[in-house]
């Protein structure tokens, strides 16, 4: 699934989910070290658990962040 982000440096998030488990995540753009770290931490995690942990995280004064955008992408994937 390809998710176009909004309000963050990352332009898009590519993710693969199988049986409600996150198989892979790739952030395009953004802070490479942070986004790679987030991607590796959620791989193998249940989608709902990842959403619970990431949703609502802010980046500085922004109302969203790359982890929050990932939670939005995961929510969309569940639909």
């Amino acid at each position: 699934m390809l998710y176009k982000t909004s309000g963050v440096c990352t332009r898009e998030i590519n993710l693969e989910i199988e049986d409600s488990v996150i198989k892979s995540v790739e952030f395009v753009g953004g802070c490479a070290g942070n986004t790679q770290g987030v991607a590796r931490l959620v791989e193998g995690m249940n989608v709902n658990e990842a959403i619970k942990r990431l949703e609502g995280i802010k980046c500085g004064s922004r109302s969203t962040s790359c982890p929050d955008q990932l939670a939005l992408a995961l929510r969309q994937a569940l639909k």
Side-chain angles (χ1 to χ4, degrees), residues 7-8 38 42 50-72:
V8 294
V38 169
V42 299
I51 291 169
K52 180 179 149 187
R53 292 178 183 214
L54 301 173
E55 194 169 48
I57 293 175
K58 296 179 175 126
C59 183
S61 62
R62 296 177 186 187
S63 62
T64 190
S65 66
C66 292
D68 184 56
Q69 289 291 299
L70 176 55
L72 294 173

Side-chain angles (χ1 to χ4, degrees), residues 30-44:
C31 303
N34 291 334
T35 55
Q36 286 178 50
V38 169
R40 287 185 188 179
L41 286 170
V42 299
E43 286 176 3

